[in-house]
Amino acid sequence: MGPSNLELIFDRVGHFGRYQVFLYFTVAFQNISCGVHYLASVFMTVLPRYACRPPGNVSRVLFHNVSDWRLDNIWKLSSSGHEEQVVVQLQDGEIWELRRCNRFRRDNLSNLDYNYNGHKSRFPCLDGYIYDTSKWDSTVVTQWDLVCNREWFAKLIQPTFMVGVLLGALIFGYLSDRIGRRLVLWSTSIGMYFFGIAAAFTLDYYSFMLARFLLAIVSSGYLVVVFVYVTEFIGMKARTWACIQVHSFFAIGTMVVALTGYLVRTWWIYQIILSTVTAPFVLFCWMLPETPFWLLSEGKYEEAQTVVDQMAKWNRAGTFKLSELLSLDLYSPADQQSRYANKHRLLYLFYDCNIGKRTLIVWLIWFTGCLGYYSFSLNSVNLGGNVYLNLFLIGAVDIPASIVLCFGMDILGRKKALITALFSSAVFCGLIMVIPLKYYFWTMVTTMAGKFAIGAAFGLIYLYTAELYPTVIRTQAVGSGSMVSRAGSIVAPFSVNLSSIWIFIPQLLVGCLAFVSGILTFQLPETLRKPLLSTWEEATTPDAEKESSSGKLSPTTSNTDAGQTRSD
């Protein structure tokens, strides 16, 4: 059963008819939640200004030459709060100096001057901390006092989430090929809703981290599998636009985070709202059918026929028999046993030397794309202005990037578009390094252009990876690539921190990797306007041979063993 035959299904029922449109927007809508949960910690882990809490009731507060009667007003007196002490007098007459991680009691109770050179005793912050609530009423940091010697607990929140994302990509990529796309979409969608709400009601830091870790696993699983699900339901004529625009819904999730953060300043309410944004999807996800390509690869021909009939009915197309269209052997138990015994192995990503080289190149592009995407995003906090607007624009820029990418992919092809995006990001990284620091506006514009380019490359590699591998290993290929990319998202914060050594280290690292990735991409085959691969024979056949033998492959045992379904 060759790839051309499989595409005949879409020729009969429509490449992007009403049925596919309904399924597409249903599952893409839930992708908003992935964007939401990936970036929710941006505001949940905000570190406000803080100081040690005094050991009693305050009667007077002194900050520099300004005094007040309420301790809560000290943040109005302070413009920065960095290591500047606050002097308070308690109702029992004691005078304390409050700092961020220590407090001092003055021995001279009559000296209320701000500057004091006399003897004083040092004490730890045993009574907790006071926080600036002018921007956020509460965050995870203020909830569990993740400051001073516990500050590293707060810094672990996002890296731990990314570790969960890494595992989720691998786990659910494998499960999707074993148990089907639909069951994975069901379980991960319900998991996102459940673990998202659970994180808001956790009573301690460790249960919060566990809920977030599980949330990361299911969010990553959905993000990987929904892409494969969409590609297996959409024909070649509409696949490029539909699959790339799935990432626009992720970008919308980023914008939702910015808007919610602006309107809601209590972290657990903020988390509940973000977790329920796509709640309607949970009510309808049970209606999702399994993809006919996966059913065919598993030998479930009757179920595949039912889905195709339903698709034809919705699209007002004529019905037909898959067994006649695809020349299927419905009674081949030996073939099905062979398929079951030999499929679903991650090592098939290194099926032979050519496939192995292809996998390593694809993994490098995944890593580079994610590293660049998060490096540019993390640097955006230094753009100045309103932080909520900055995040909103960072998410919004991905939408035009995906639109431009779609045109580029249709005009240039997947391969040339990816090469152009990678080389462009490398060039923009180089330009950032040569623009004088005093030209802040141009540095910011170039940085956004670099993020635009690397975002386009990162979006393209999802589709390109799915088209480079046959059906039975496709989800694992996308899942393993996503797993490798999460290593880039973990490395990104460290590369940004290295800017204290040399300010352009992040740009140098991303630029070099993007340039090398662009060169290696020349080794990959073009997949534009070509049917999805179904067998290993198709994956390993050179393009020239495919042109001469397209549609002539017979259903050999080895072909059906390798797989018979496809996705983008």
Side-chain angles (χ1 to χ4, degrees):
M1 182 172 58
S4 300
N5 290 335
L6 286 176
E7 290 295 336
L8 287 176
I9 296 177
F10 296 123
D11 291 336
R12 292 292 188 89
V13 301
H15 287 253
F16 197 48
R18 292 192 302 172
Y19 188 79
Q20 290 104 315
V21 169
F22 172 78
L23 292 180
Y24 176 79
F25 282 102
T26 299
V27 297
F29 176 73
Q30 177 67 355
N31 207 36
I32 295 175
S33 281
C34 296
V36 162
H37 293 306
Y38 273 51
L39 291 171
S41 64
V42 171
F43 297 127
M44 275 198 301
T45 58
V46 168
L47 177 62
R49 295 180 293 174
Y50 65 94
C52 281
R53 184 175 296 277
N57 295 324
V58 175
S59 61
R60 188 179 179 186
V61 181
L62 180 66
F63 183 80
H64 290 294
N65 296 324
V66 182
S67 63
D68 201 283
W69 302 105
R70 297 191 58 185
L71 188 59
D72 295 338
N73 293 334
I74 62 171
W75 309 117
K76 299 178 182 179
L77 309 177
S78 170
S79 59
S80 62
H82 294 297
E83 298 298 335
E84 293 182 303
Q85 67 180 16
V86 177
V87 179
V88 298
Q89 185 176 43
L90 305 184
Q91 291 181 353
D92 60 7
E94 290 186 347
I95 300 175
W96 288 77
E97 297 176 4
L98 309 179
R99 299 183 184 178
R100 298 187 71 176
C101 298
N102 293 286
R103 54 187 180 176
F104 298 85
R105 185 183 63 193
R106 295 180 180 179
D107 291 349
N108 187 350
L109 301 183
S110 61
N111 190 334
L112 193 57
D113 295 336
Y114 184 77
N115 297 313
Y116 174 75
N117 296 322
H119 187 269
K120 50 190 174 183
S121 302
R122 178 177 176 177
F123 295 88
C125 301
L126 299 178
D127 296 289
Y129 303 85
I130 51 175
Y131 297 99
D132 178 11
T133 58
S134 60
K135 295 182 178 179
W136 275 79
D137 295 332
S138 70
T139 68
V140 172
V141 173
T142 64
Q143 180 79 20
W144 294 300
D145 290 335
L146 305 182
V147 294
C148 297
N149 62 338
R150 289 172 54 87
E151 187 174 352
W152 67 277
F153 283 95
K155 293 181 178 180
L156 282 177
I157 292 176
Q158 188 63 15
T160 302
F161 185 91
M162 284 302 176
V163 172
V165 168
L166 185 150
L167 293 177
L170 183 61
I171 293 171
F172 285 104
Y174 172 78
L175 289 177
S176 175
D177 286 333
R178 290 298 303 269
I179 66 176
R181 299 14 173 164
R182 178 178 60 175
L183 289 177
V184 171
L185 292 181
W186 286 358
S187 59
T188 53
S189 298
I190 295 173
M192 275 193 283
Y193 184 79
F194 176 77
F195 293 125
I197 297 294
F201 290 98
T202 50
L203 301 178
D204 57 71
Y205 170 81
Y206 297 102
S207 58
F208 171 79
M209 289 290 283
L210 177 60
R212 286 271 300 171
F213 182 75
L214 296 175
L215 177 61
I217 291 177
V218 296
S219 298
S220 175
Y222 186 89
L223 186 62
V224 170
V225 177
V226 71
F227 187 82
V228 176
Y229 185 84
V230 166
T231 59
E232 291 187 347
F233 261 113
I234 296 177
M236 189 168 53
K237 295 180 181 178
R239 186 174 297 137
T240 298
W241 277 85
C243 294
I244 292 300
Q245 293 307 318
V246 168
H247 298 284
S248 296
F249 289 86
F250 186 94
I252 292 174
T254 303
M255 298 158 69
V256 169
V257 170
L259 181 61
T260 307
Y262 177 76
L263 297 175
V264 181
R265 305 300 177 88
T266 302
W267 79 267
W268 61 271
I269 299 177
Y270 162 87
Q271 175 66 20
I272 291 175
I273 293 176
L274 292 180
S275 300
T276 56
V277 166
T278 58
F281 177 81
V282 179
L283 303 177
F284 295 100
C285 65
W286 61 272
M287 299 173 59
L288 298 177
E290 185 55 80
T291 68
F293 284 174
W294 183 85
L295 292 171
L296 289 173
S297 72
E298 293 292 315
K300 299 180 179 181
Y301 304 120
E302 293 183 1
E303 295 180 39
Q305 182 68 59
T306 301
V307 175
V308 171
D309 288 343
Q310 187 178 21
M311 193 185 310
K313 181 179 179 181
W314 274 58
N315 294 346
R316 296 176 181 176
T319 59
F320 57 92
K321 294 294 183 180
L322 286 174
S323 58
E324 299 175 1
L325 180 68
L326 305 179
S327 300
L328 297 174
D329 183 359
L330 304 182
Y331 307 100
S332 181
D335 174 65
Q336 294 182 26
Q337 291 174 2
S338 175
R339 183 189 304 115
Y340 181 82
N342 292 291
K343 285 171 49 180
H344 314 307
R345 294 180 182 174
L346 187 61
L347 290 178
Y348 272 147
L349 291 175
F350 299 90
Y351 183 79
D352 58 22
C353 291
N354 290 330
I355 296 297
K357 181 176 68 173
R358 179 183 302 181
T359 297
L360 292 177
I361 294 173
V362 167
W363 281 358
L364 177 62
I365 299 171
W366 277 92
F367 179 87
T368 302
C370 197
L371 173 66
Y373 188 91
Y374 283 100
S375 293
F376 280 113
S377 298
L378 290 173
N379 278 332
S380 69
V381 299
N382 300 319
L383 294 179
N386 188 297
V387 294
Y388 306 102
L389 179 61
N390 288 346
L391 182 61
F392 186 89
L393 295 177
I394 285 295
V397 75
D398 288 336
I399 297 178
S402 62
I403 295 175
V404 171
L405 175 61
C406 287
F407 283 110
M409 291 172 64
D410 283 340
I411 297 173
L412 301 176
R414 276 73 157 136
K415 179 178 176 179
K416 292 181 180 179
L418 181 58
I419 292 172
T420 301
L422 290 170
F423 280 159
S424 296
S425 61
V427 169
F428 287 128
C429 285
L431 288 176
I432 293 172
M433 296 170 62
V434 299
I435 296 176
L437 295 176
K438 62 179 180 180
Y439 296 108
Y440 171 76
F441 174 78
W442 293 111
T443 299
M444 181 184 69
V445 170
T446 309
T447 299
M448 297 304 294
K451 202 265 184 178
F452 182 98
I454 202 67
F458 194 32
L460 171 55
I461 194 58
Y462 276 86
L463 174 63
Y464 198 26
T465 301
E467 291 181 335
L468 287 172
Y469 294 88
T471 298
V472 293
I473 201 68
R474 182 171 296 120
T475 310
Q476 290 190 52
V478 176
S480 65
S482 180
M483 181 188 70
V484 172
S485 74
R486 296 312 149 195
S489 67
I490 295 173
V491 171
F494 295 101
S495 69
V496 173
N497 290 336
L498 289 176
S499 61
S500 60
I501 300 175
W502 187 47
I503 191 171
F504 295 122
I505 284 183
Q507 290 81 4
L508 178 64
L509 179 59
V510 173
C512 289
L513 286 175
F515 182 76
V516 172
S517 299
I519 293 177
L520 293 176
T521 303
F522 282 102
Q523 303 290 321
L524 300 177
E526 180 55 71
T527 60
L528 178 65
R529 297 187 180 91
K530 295 182 180 179
L532 290 167
L533 303 176
S534 293
T535 69
W536 285 114
E537 181 178 343
E538 296 160 9
T540 56
T541 301
D543 289 344
E545 294 183 24
K546 289 180 183 178
E547 294 293 335
S548 62
S549 62
S550 177
K552 298 180 180 181
L553 293 176
S554 59
T556 61
T557 302
S558 60
N559 284 348
T560 52
D561 284 350
Q564 300 170 353
T565 315
R566 81 183 47 227
S567 82
D568 246 352

